[in-house]
Amino acid sequence: MKQAVYNGIVITPNEKFCGGVIWQEGVVARVFEGELNEKCDVSTDAGGKFISPGFIDIHTHGAAGYDFLDGTIEAYSMAARMHMRHGTTALMPTITTA
């Protein structure tokens, strides 16, 4: 399945530009500048927002009022959801000394 996110500000390690990203089978197939000019099975208009790789948080104690020391599925889930809303795609839960 070919998917695209277009009409956004693409952020790369060296530059940023208006365009989008196309991927297939979970792998980036093409990063493009300008308009989406090919047929995709699924396409999403970014509406001028940033298109960038996900962020990996390697040290977090929690989020949204939840702490990983709470030790509950709810705490883990709610903290992870808050991180996800802000662009984190992976995280390493850490704890403080109690």
Side-chain angles (χ1 to χ4, degrees):
M1 174 184 289
K2 187 186 284 188
Q3 300 178 43
V5 176
Y6 65 96
N7 188 30
I9 300 168
V10 178
I11 300 173
T12 73
N14 301 315
E15 62 183 331
K16 63 181 183 177
F17 54 85
C18 295
V21 177
I22 296 173
W23 69 95
Q24 288 181 282
E25 308 300 328
V27 176
V28 173
R30 189 164 75 84
V31 176
F32 63 91
E33 190 170 353
E35 301 291 321
L36 175 63
N37 292 321
E38 61 186 271
K39 178 118 172 78
C40 295
D41 299 304
V42 177
S43 58
T44 302
D45 186 342
K49 295 180 180 175
F50 292 127
I51 301 172
S52 70
F55 299 104
I56 299 172
D57 190 336
I58 62 170
H59 184 105
T60 178
H61 298 285
Y66 294 90
D67 191 298
F68 291 116
L69 271 179
D70 295 343
T72 66
I73 292 173
E74 178 185 15
Y76 302 154
S77 177
M78 296 305 288
R81 286 180 188 183
M82 178 59 78
H83 279 276
M84 182 179 67
R85 283 190 204 127
H86 296 279
T88 303
T89 57
L91 56 82
M92 174 60 71
T94 55
I95 59 174
T96 57
T97 56

